[in-house]
Amino acid sequence: MLITHDTRCALDTVVDLVNTAPEDDTAPDGLPDVATLADFVRNHEISDVGVLSDFDLSAVRKIRGRFAAVFAAPDARAAAGQINELVAAAGTTPRLTDHDGYDWHVHYFAPGASVADHLAADCGMALAFFVVAGEQERLRRCEAPDCRRAFVDLSRNRSRRYCDSRTCGNRLHVAAYRARRKEAAG
Protein backbone atom coordinates (compact mmCIF):
# COMPACT_ATOMS: atom_id res chain seq x y z
CA MET A 1 0.00 0.00 0.00
CA LEU A 2 1.42 3.37 -1.04
CA ILE A 3 1.17 5.93 1.75
CA THR A 4 1.80 9.54 0.79
CA HIS A 5 3.57 11.96 3.11
CA ASP A 6 0.39 13.83 4.06
CA THR A 7 -1.47 10.58 4.71
CA ARG A 8 1.37 9.40 6.95
CA CYS A 9 1.28 12.68 8.86
CA ALA A 10 -2.49 12.34 9.30
CA LEU A 11 -2.06 8.74 10.52
CA ASP A 12 0.58 9.82 13.04
CA THR A 13 -1.72 12.61 14.19
CA VAL A 14 -4.77 10.40 14.65
CA VAL A 15 -2.75 7.77 16.55
CA ASP A 16 -1.27 10.43 18.83
CA LEU A 17 -4.72 11.96 19.33
CA VAL A 18 -6.34 8.63 20.23
CA ASN A 19 -3.49 7.93 22.63
CA THR A 20 -4.18 11.14 24.59
CA ALA A 21 -7.41 9.61 25.90
CA PRO A 22 -7.27 8.33 29.47
CA GLU A 23 -7.25 4.53 29.60
CA ASP A 24 -9.57 4.49 32.61
CA ASP A 25 -11.35 6.82 35.04
CA THR A 26 -8.24 7.22 37.21
CA ALA A 27 -5.79 8.16 34.43
CA PRO A 28 -5.26 11.79 33.47
CA ASP A 29 -6.45 13.12 30.12
CA GLY A 30 -3.61 13.78 27.69
CA LEU A 31 -5.49 16.86 26.47
CA PRO A 32 -6.30 18.55 29.78
CA ASP A 33 -6.58 22.13 28.53
CA VAL A 34 -6.50 24.48 25.57
CA ALA A 35 -2.75 25.11 25.97
CA THR A 36 -2.05 21.39 25.57
CA LEU A 37 -4.31 21.28 22.52
CA ALA A 38 -2.36 24.23 21.08
CA ASP A 39 0.88 22.29 21.67
CA PHE A 40 -0.64 19.25 19.96
CA VAL A 41 -1.63 21.37 16.95
CA ARG A 42 1.83 22.96 16.76
CA ASN A 43 3.72 19.66 17.24
CA HIS A 44 1.72 17.99 14.47
CA GLU A 45 2.03 21.01 12.18
CA ILE A 46 -1.72 21.24 11.70
CA SER A 47 -2.15 24.19 9.37
CA ASP A 48 -4.90 26.77 9.00
CA VAL A 49 -6.03 26.66 12.65
CA GLY A 50 -7.05 29.91 14.30
CA VAL A 51 -7.23 30.78 17.98
CA LEU A 52 -8.25 27.75 20.02
CA SER A 53 -10.92 27.78 22.72
CA ASP A 54 -12.59 25.51 25.27
CA PHE A 55 -15.16 24.73 22.58
CA ASP A 56 -12.36 23.41 20.34
CA LEU A 57 -10.97 21.31 23.18
CA SER A 58 -14.38 19.74 23.81
CA ALA A 59 -14.94 19.09 20.10
CA VAL A 60 -11.50 17.50 19.65
CA ARG A 61 -12.07 15.24 22.66
CA LYS A 62 -15.38 14.15 21.11
CA ILE A 63 -13.85 13.21 17.76
CA ARG A 64 -10.96 11.53 19.61
CA GLY A 65 -13.52 9.09 21.00
CA ARG A 66 -14.94 8.53 17.54
CA PHE A 67 -11.46 7.82 16.16
CA ALA A 68 -10.93 5.36 19.02
CA ALA A 69 -14.07 3.57 17.85
CA VAL A 70 -12.46 3.13 14.40
CA PHE A 71 -9.47 1.39 16.01
CA ALA A 72 -11.88 -0.79 18.02
CA ALA A 73 -14.08 -1.64 15.03
CA PRO A 74 -14.48 -5.40 14.62
CA ASP A 75 -14.50 -5.26 10.82
CA ALA A 76 -14.17 -2.98 7.80
CA ARG A 77 -17.92 -2.30 7.60
CA ALA A 78 -18.02 -0.99 11.17
CA ALA A 79 -14.85 1.06 10.62
CA ALA A 80 -16.30 2.50 7.40
CA GLY A 81 -19.48 3.52 9.20
CA GLN A 82 -17.49 5.37 11.87
CA ILE A 83 -15.25 7.05 9.29
CA ASN A 84 -18.20 8.06 7.10
CA GLU A 85 -19.89 9.75 10.06
CA LEU A 86 -16.70 11.60 11.02
CA VAL A 87 -15.93 12.83 7.52
CA ALA A 88 -19.54 13.79 6.73
CA ALA A 89 -19.92 15.76 9.96
CA ALA A 90 -16.72 17.66 9.14
CA GLY A 91 -18.16 18.93 5.86
CA THR A 92 -15.23 17.87 3.73
CA THR A 93 -14.14 20.09 0.89
CA PRO A 94 -11.22 18.42 -0.90
CA ARG A 95 -8.77 20.88 -2.40
CA LEU A 96 -5.21 20.83 -3.69
CA THR A 97 -2.68 23.00 -1.88
CA ASP A 98 1.08 23.56 -1.77
CA HIS A 99 1.81 25.54 1.37
CA ASP A 100 4.70 25.91 3.81
CA GLY A 101 7.25 24.35 1.45
CA TYR A 102 5.28 21.13 0.85
CA ASP A 103 4.52 19.91 -2.66
CA TRP A 104 0.96 19.52 -3.88
CA HIS A 105 -1.26 17.54 -1.56
CA VAL A 106 -4.95 17.33 -0.71
CA HIS A 107 -6.62 18.98 2.25
CA TYR A 108 -10.03 17.55 2.97
CA PHE A 109 -11.22 20.19 5.43
CA ALA A 110 -13.07 23.32 4.39
CA PRO A 111 -11.18 26.63 4.56
CA GLY A 112 -11.71 28.14 8.00
CA ALA A 113 -12.83 24.82 9.49
CA SER A 114 -12.49 24.26 13.22
CA VAL A 115 -9.57 22.18 14.43
CA ALA A 116 -11.97 19.31 15.20
CA ASP A 117 -13.42 19.37 11.68
CA HIS A 118 -9.90 19.66 10.26
CA LEU A 119 -8.80 16.55 12.18
CA ALA A 120 -12.00 14.66 11.42
CA ALA A 121 -11.68 15.32 7.68
CA ASP A 122 -7.94 14.83 7.11
CA CYS A 123 -7.41 12.01 9.61
CA GLY A 124 -10.72 10.39 8.69
CA MET A 125 -9.68 10.26 5.04
CA ALA A 126 -6.29 8.80 5.97
CA LEU A 127 -8.08 6.01 7.83
CA ALA A 128 -10.54 5.63 4.93
CA PHE A 129 -7.64 4.82 2.60
CA PHE A 130 -6.83 1.80 4.78
CA VAL A 131 -10.40 0.52 4.65
CA VAL A 132 -10.55 1.03 0.86
CA ALA A 133 -7.27 -0.88 0.46
CA GLY A 134 -8.61 -3.77 2.56
CA GLU A 135 -6.09 -2.99 5.30
CA GLN A 136 -8.42 -2.05 8.19
CA GLU A 137 -6.78 -4.74 10.36
CA ARG A 138 -3.62 -2.61 10.39
CA LEU A 139 -5.42 -0.14 12.70
CA ARG A 140 -4.60 -1.82 16.00
CA ARG A 141 -4.30 -1.61 19.74
CA CYS A 142 -1.18 -2.77 21.59
CA GLU A 143 -1.42 -6.39 22.74
CA ALA A 144 0.57 -5.82 25.94
CA PRO A 145 -1.76 -6.67 28.84
CA ASP A 146 -1.21 -3.32 30.55
CA CYS A 147 -1.26 -1.15 27.41
CA ARG A 148 -4.02 -0.41 24.92
CA ARG A 149 -2.32 2.34 22.90
CA ALA A 150 -3.39 2.69 19.28
CA PHE A 151 -0.96 2.26 16.39
CA VAL A 152 -0.95 1.63 12.66
CA ASP A 153 0.88 -1.55 11.69
CA LEU A 154 2.97 -0.60 8.68
CA SER A 155 5.10 -3.75 8.75
CA ARG A 156 5.29 -5.68 5.49
CA ASN A 157 3.75 -8.84 6.89
CA ARG A 158 1.18 -7.17 9.19
CA SER A 159 2.81 -8.77 12.22
CA ARG A 160 3.34 -5.86 14.60
CA ARG A 161 1.70 -6.56 17.96
CA TYR A 162 2.95 -3.80 20.23
CA CYS A 163 2.74 -0.02 20.11
CA ASP A 164 6.50 0.25 20.60
CA SER A 165 8.84 -2.71 20.41
CA ARG A 166 11.39 -0.94 22.64
CA THR A 167 8.98 -0.66 25.55
CA CYS A 168 5.93 -2.91 25.46
CA GLY A 169 7.37 -5.56 23.15
CA ASN A 170 10.76 -5.67 24.82
CA ARG A 171 9.24 -5.78 28.31
CA LEU A 172 7.04 -8.76 27.39
CA HIS A 173 9.88 -10.59 25.63
CA VAL A 174 12.13 -10.15 28.68
CA ALA A 175 9.36 -11.39 30.98
CA ALA A 176 8.80 -14.46 28.79
CA TYR A 177 12.54 -15.16 28.70
CA ARG A 178 12.78 -14.94 32.49
CA ALA A 179 9.78 -17.22 32.89
CA ARG A 180 11.35 -19.82 30.57
CA ARG A 181 14.67 -19.61 32.44
CA LYS A 182 12.92 -19.99 35.79
CA GLU A 183 10.96 -23.00 34.52
CA ALA A 184 14.11 -24.60 33.09
CA ALA A 185 15.99 -24.09 36.36
CA GLY A 186 13.19 -25.33 38.29
Side-chain angles (χ1 to χ4, degrees):
M1 175 176 182
L2 176 66
I3 301 173
T4 63
H5 172 75
D6 50 318
T7 299
R8 179 60 192 261
C9 290
L11 290 171
D12 292 343
T13 299
V14 73
V15 164
D16 289 348
L17 178 62
V18 168
N19 289 334
T20 65
E23 291 191 29
D24 58 40
D25 293 336
T26 63
D29 193 309
L31 284 177
D33 52 37
V34 175
T36 308
L37 176 60
D39 288 342
F40 183 89
V41 166
R42 188 173 32 264
N43 292 337
H44 289 85
E45 299 180 357
I46 300 170
S47 62
D48 201 21
V49 174
V51 176
L52 299 172
S53 67
D54 286 329
F55 177 82
D56 292 307
L57 178 62
S58 177
V60 168
R61 285 178 176 165
K62 183 177 177 182
I63 65 152
R64 174 182 68 186
R66 298 187 72 190
F67 279 131
V70 173
F71 280 83
D75 56 39
R77 183 166 304 286
Q82 291 288 335
I83 293 167
N84 283 340
E85 288 176 17
L86 272 162
V87 171
T92 58
T93 307
R95 61 191 165 98
L96 288 168
T97 184
D98 66 339
H99 62 87
D100 299 329
Y102 294 106
D103 281 337
W104 289 105
H105 59 282
V106 179
H107 280 187
Y108 295 95
F109 59 93
S114 70
V115 66
D117 285 346
H118 179 134
L119 291 168
D122 274 3
C123 296
M125 290 304 299
L127 296 174
F129 296 143
F130 275 77
V131 174
V132 168
E135 301 284 357
Q136 180 262 334
E137 74 276 1
R138 289 181 181 265
L139 308 176
R140 298 192 176 159
R141 291 288 189 158
C142 184
E143 291 183 19
D146 58 342
C147 179
R148 296 298 300 150
R149 292 178 60 83
F151 69 93
V152 178
D153 179 3
L154 297 177
S155 66
R156 273 182 204 250
N157 61 358
R158 299 173 188 88
S159 63
R160 188 169 160 200
R161 297 174 50 207
Y162 306 110
C163 62
D164 185 351
S165 61
R166 290 181 308 250
T167 54
C168 288
N170 191 44
R171 188 170 32 84
L172 288 174
H173 289 119
V174 168
Y177 171 77
R178 287 181 180 157
R180 286 191 307 273
R181 297 270 304 189
K182 184 177 180 181
E183 185 178 305

